PDB file of all heavy atoms in Angstrom:
ATOM      1  N   PHE A1474      72.172 127.784 209.233  1.00 61.00           N
ATOM      2  CA  PHE A1474      71.934 127.221 207.901  1.00 61.00           C
ATOM      3  C   PHE A1474      71.923 128.321 206.842  1.00 61.00           C
ATOM      4  O   PHE A1474      72.473 128.159 205.770  1.00 61.00           O
ATOM      5  CB  PHE A1474      70.604 126.450 207.900  1.00 61.00           C
ATOM      6  CG  PHE A1474      70.375 125.627 206.679  1.00 61.00           C
ATOM      7  CD1 PHE A1474      71.088 124.454 206.481  1.00 61.00           C
ATOM      8  CD2 PHE A1474      69.452 125.999 205.728  1.00 61.00           C
ATOM      9  CE1 PHE A1474      70.878 123.669 205.360  1.00 61.00           C
ATOM     10  CE2 PHE A1474      69.232 125.229 204.598  1.00 61.00           C
ATOM     11  CZ  PHE A1474      69.948 124.061 204.418  1.00 61.00           C
ATOM     12  N   GLY A1478      74.250 128.772 203.484  1.00 88.00           N
ATOM     13  CA  GLY A1478      73.597 128.924 202.193  1.00 88.00           C
ATOM     14  C   GLY A1478      74.149 130.094 201.402  1.00 88.00           C
ATOM     15  O   GLY A1478      74.318 130.011 200.186  1.00 88.00           O
ATOM     16  N   VAL A1481      77.416 129.004 199.893  1.00 92.00           N
ATOM     17  CA  VAL A1481      77.165 128.056 198.814  1.00 92.00           C
ATOM     18  C   VAL A1481      76.676 128.791 197.568  1.00 92.00           C
ATOM     19  O   VAL A1481      77.124 128.501 196.453  1.00 92.00           O
ATOM     20  CB  VAL A1481      76.158 126.969 199.252  1.00 92.00           C
ATOM     21  CG1 VAL A1481      75.703 126.139 198.075  1.00 92.00           C
ATOM     22  CG2 VAL A1481      76.773 126.079 200.326  1.00 92.00           C
ATOM     23  N   ASP A1507      78.793 119.936 206.657  1.00 91.00           N
ATOM     24  CA  ASP A1507      77.603 119.133 206.359  1.00 91.00           C
ATOM     25  C   ASP A1507      76.384 120.012 206.103  1.00 91.00           C
ATOM     26  O   ASP A1507      75.579 119.720 205.215  1.00 91.00           O
ATOM     27  CB  ASP A1507      77.311 118.153 207.493  1.00 91.00           C
ATOM     28  CG  ASP A1507      78.350 117.041 207.595  1.00 91.00           C
ATOM     29  OD1 ASP A1507      79.111 116.826 206.623  1.00 91.00           O
ATOM     30  OD2 ASP A1507      78.390 116.386 208.662  1.00 91.00           O
ATOM     31  N   GLU A1508      76.235 121.088 206.864  1.00 90.00           N
ATOM     32  CA  GLU A1508      75.127 122.021 206.655  1.00 90.00           C
ATOM     33  C   GLU A1508      75.216 122.663 205.271  1.00 90.00           C
ATOM     34  O   GLU A1508      74.206 122.808 204.581  1.00 90.00           O
ATOM     35  CB  GLU A1508      75.124 123.111 207.717  1.00 90.00           C
ATOM     36  CG  GLU A1508      74.639 122.667 209.064  1.00 90.00           C
ATOM     37  CD  GLU A1508      74.681 123.796 210.092  1.00 90.00           C
ATOM     38  OE1 GLU A1508      74.757 124.985 209.710  1.00 90.00           O
ATOM     39  OE2 GLU A1508      74.642 123.476 211.281  1.00 90.00           O
ATOM     40  N   ALA A1509      76.413 123.054 204.887  1.00 91.00           N
ATOM     41  CA  ALA A1509      76.601 123.669 203.573  1.00 91.00           C
ATOM     42  C   ALA A1509      76.251 122.685 202.464  1.00 91.00           C
ATOM     43  O   ALA A1509      75.574 123.037 201.491  1.00 91.00           O
ATOM     44  CB  ALA A1509      78.038 124.164 203.414  1.00 91.00           C
ATOM     45  N   ASN A1510      76.687 121.448 202.589  1.00 92.00           N
ATOM     46  CA  ASN A1510      76.383 120.447 201.565  1.00 92.00           C
ATOM     47  C   ASN A1510      74.908 120.087 201.544  1.00 92.00           C
ATOM     48  O   ASN A1510      74.349 119.813 200.480  1.00 92.00           O
ATOM     49  CB  ASN A1510      77.263 119.214 201.736  1.00 92.00           C
ATOM     50  CG  ASN A1510      78.624 119.412 201.108  1.00 92.00           C
ATOM     51  OD1 ASN A1510      78.842 120.352 200.344  1.00 92.00           O
ATOM     52  ND2 ASN A1510      79.554 118.545 201.424  1.00 92.00           N
ATOM     53  N   ALA A1511      74.255 120.087 202.702  1.00 93.00           N
ATOM     54  CA  ALA A1511      72.810 119.831 202.745  1.00 93.00           C
ATOM     55  C   ALA A1511      72.068 120.949 202.019  1.00 93.00           C
ATOM     56  O   ALA A1511      71.121 120.691 201.263  1.00 93.00           O
ATOM     57  CB  ALA A1511      72.340 119.706 204.189  1.00 93.00           C
ATOM     58  N   TYR A1512      72.494 122.177 202.242  1.00 93.00           N
ATOM     59  CA  TYR A1512      71.889 123.321 201.541  1.00 93.00           C
ATOM     60  C   TYR A1512      72.098 123.177 200.034  1.00 93.00           C
ATOM     61  O   TYR A1512      71.164 123.367 199.253  1.00 93.00           O
ATOM     62  CB  TYR A1512      72.490 124.639 202.034  1.00 93.00           C
ATOM     63  CG  TYR A1512      71.912 125.830 201.314  1.00 93.00           C
ATOM     64  CD1 TYR A1512      70.797 126.479 201.806  1.00 93.00           C
ATOM     65  CD2 TYR A1512      72.473 126.288 200.124  1.00 93.00           C
ATOM     66  CE1 TYR A1512      70.243 127.564 201.132  1.00 93.00           C
ATOM     67  CE2 TYR A1512      71.929 127.356 199.449  1.00 93.00           C
ATOM     68  CZ  TYR A1512      70.817 127.993 199.951  1.00 93.00           C
ATOM     69  OH  TYR A1512      70.272 129.056 199.272  1.00 93.00           O
ATOM     70  N   ALA A1513      73.315 122.854 199.626  1.00 94.00           N
ATOM     71  CA  ALA A1513      73.619 122.713 198.201  1.00 94.00           C
ATOM     72  C   ALA A1513      72.739 121.628 197.574  1.00 94.00           C
ATOM     73  O   ALA A1513      72.152 121.841 196.509  1.00 94.00           O
ATOM     74  CB  ALA A1513      75.093 122.379 198.004  1.00 94.00           C
ATOM     75  N   LYS A1514      72.634 120.502 198.219  1.00 95.00           N
ATOM     76  CA  LYS A1514      71.832 119.395 197.691  1.00 95.00           C
ATOM     77  C   LYS A1514      70.363 119.784 197.586  1.00 95.00           C
ATOM     78  O   LYS A1514      69.710 119.510 196.576  1.00 95.00           O
ATOM     79  CB  LYS A1514      71.981 118.164 198.588  1.00 95.00           C
ATOM     80  CG  LYS A1514      71.242 116.959 198.089  1.00 95.00           C
ATOM     81  CD  LYS A1514      71.472 115.751 198.979  1.00 95.00           C
ATOM     82  CE  LYS A1514      70.709 114.556 198.443  1.00 95.00           C
ATOM     83  NZ  LYS A1514      70.878 113.375 199.290  1.00 95.00           N
ATOM     84  N   ALA A1515      69.841 120.454 198.607  1.00 95.00           N
ATOM     85  CA  ALA A1515      68.430 120.839 198.629  1.00 95.00           C
ATOM     86  C   ALA A1515      68.099 121.915 197.598  1.00 95.00           C
ATOM     87  O   ALA A1515      66.938 122.051 197.208  1.00 95.00           O
ATOM     88  CB  ALA A1515      68.052 121.321 200.028  1.00 95.00           C
ATOM     89  N   ASN A1516      69.112 122.652 197.145  1.00 95.00           N
ATOM     90  CA  ASN A1516      68.875 123.783 196.252  1.00 95.00           C
ATOM     91  C   ASN A1516      69.532 123.650 194.881  1.00 95.00           C
ATOM     92  O   ASN A1516      69.617 124.631 194.138  1.00 95.00           O
ATOM     93  CB  ASN A1516      69.335 125.077 196.940  1.00 95.00           C
ATOM     94  CG  ASN A1516      68.460 125.398 198.127  1.00 95.00           C
ATOM     95  OD1 ASN A1516      67.354 125.894 197.976  1.00 95.00           O
ATOM     96  ND2 ASN A1516      68.947 125.082 199.324  1.00 95.00           N
ATOM     97  N   GLY A1517      70.025 122.451 194.563  1.00 96.00           N
ATOM     98  CA  GLY A1517      70.611 122.216 193.247  1.00 96.00           C
ATOM     99  C   GLY A1517      71.886 122.986 192.992  1.00 96.00           C
ATOM    100  O   GLY A1517      72.150 123.392 191.856  1.00 96.00           O
ATOM    101  N   LYS A1518      72.691 123.189 194.035  1.00 95.00           N
ATOM    102  CA  LYS A1518      73.940 123.944 193.917  1.00 95.00           C
ATOM    103  C   LYS A1518      75.138 122.989 194.001  1.00 95.00           C
ATOM    104  O   LYS A1518      75.030 121.854 194.445  1.00 95.00           O
ATOM    105  CB  LYS A1518      74.048 124.986 195.025  1.00 95.00           C
ATOM    106  CG  LYS A1518      72.886 125.944 195.109  1.00 95.00           C
ATOM    107  CD  LYS A1518      72.778 126.779 193.854  1.00 95.00           C
ATOM    108  CE  LYS A1518      71.620 127.760 193.949  1.00 95.00           C
ATOM    109  NZ  LYS A1518      71.431 128.510 192.733  1.00 95.00           N
ATOM    110  N   GLN A1519      76.294 123.480 193.605  1.00 93.00           N
ATOM    111  CA  GLN A1519      77.546 122.722 193.695  1.00 93.00           C
ATOM    112  C   GLN A1519      77.921 122.529 195.157  1.00 93.00           C
ATOM    113  O   GLN A1519      78.069 123.500 195.886  1.00 93.00           O
ATOM    114  CB  GLN A1519      78.663 123.478 192.953  1.00 93.00           C
ATOM    115  CG  GLN A1519      80.005 122.827 193.017  1.00 93.00           C
ATOM    116  CD  GLN A1519      80.070 121.520 192.252  1.00 93.00           C
ATOM    117  OE1 GLN A1519      79.244 121.241 191.390  1.00 93.00           O
ATOM    118  NE2 GLN A1519      81.043 120.713 192.554  1.00 93.00           N
ATOM    119  N   PRO A1520      78.079 121.287 195.615  1.00 92.00           N
ATOM    120  CA  PRO A1520      78.476 121.059 197.014  1.00 92.00           C
ATOM    121  C   PRO A1520      79.958 121.292 197.224  1.00 92.00           C
ATOM    122  O   PRO A1520      80.737 121.356 196.260  1.00 92.00           O
ATOM    123  CB  PRO A1520      78.119 119.587 197.224  1.00 92.00           C
ATOM    124  CG  PRO A1520      78.282 118.972 195.878  1.00 92.00           C
ATOM    125  CD  PRO A1520      77.841 120.040 194.893  1.00 92.00           C
ATOM    126  N   PHE A1521      80.336 121.404 198.470  1.00 90.00           N
ATOM    127  CA  PHE A1521      81.757 121.484 198.812  1.00 90.00           C
ATOM    128  C   PHE A1521      82.403 120.137 198.494  1.00 90.00           C
ATOM    129  O   PHE A1521      81.759 119.096 198.550  1.00 90.00           O
ATOM    130  CB  PHE A1521      81.938 121.769 200.301  1.00 90.00           C
ATOM    131  CG  PHE A1521      81.794 123.214 200.673  1.00 90.00           C
ATOM    132  CD1 PHE A1521      80.886 124.050 200.046  1.00 90.00           C
ATOM    133  CD2 PHE A1521      82.571 123.756 201.687  1.00 90.00           C
ATOM    134  CE1 PHE A1521      80.758 125.374 200.397  1.00 90.00           C
ATOM    135  CE2 PHE A1521      82.452 125.079 202.056  1.00 90.00           C
ATOM    136  CZ  PHE A1521      81.535 125.895 201.409  1.00 90.00           C
TER     137      PHE A1521
END
Side-chain angles (χ1 to χ4, degrees):
F1474 191 73
V1481 170
D1507 291 343
E1508 285 179 18
N1510 278 347
Y1512 179 91
K1514 183 177 180 181
N1516 293 282
K1518 305 297 181 184
Q1519 178 68 19
F1521 279 36

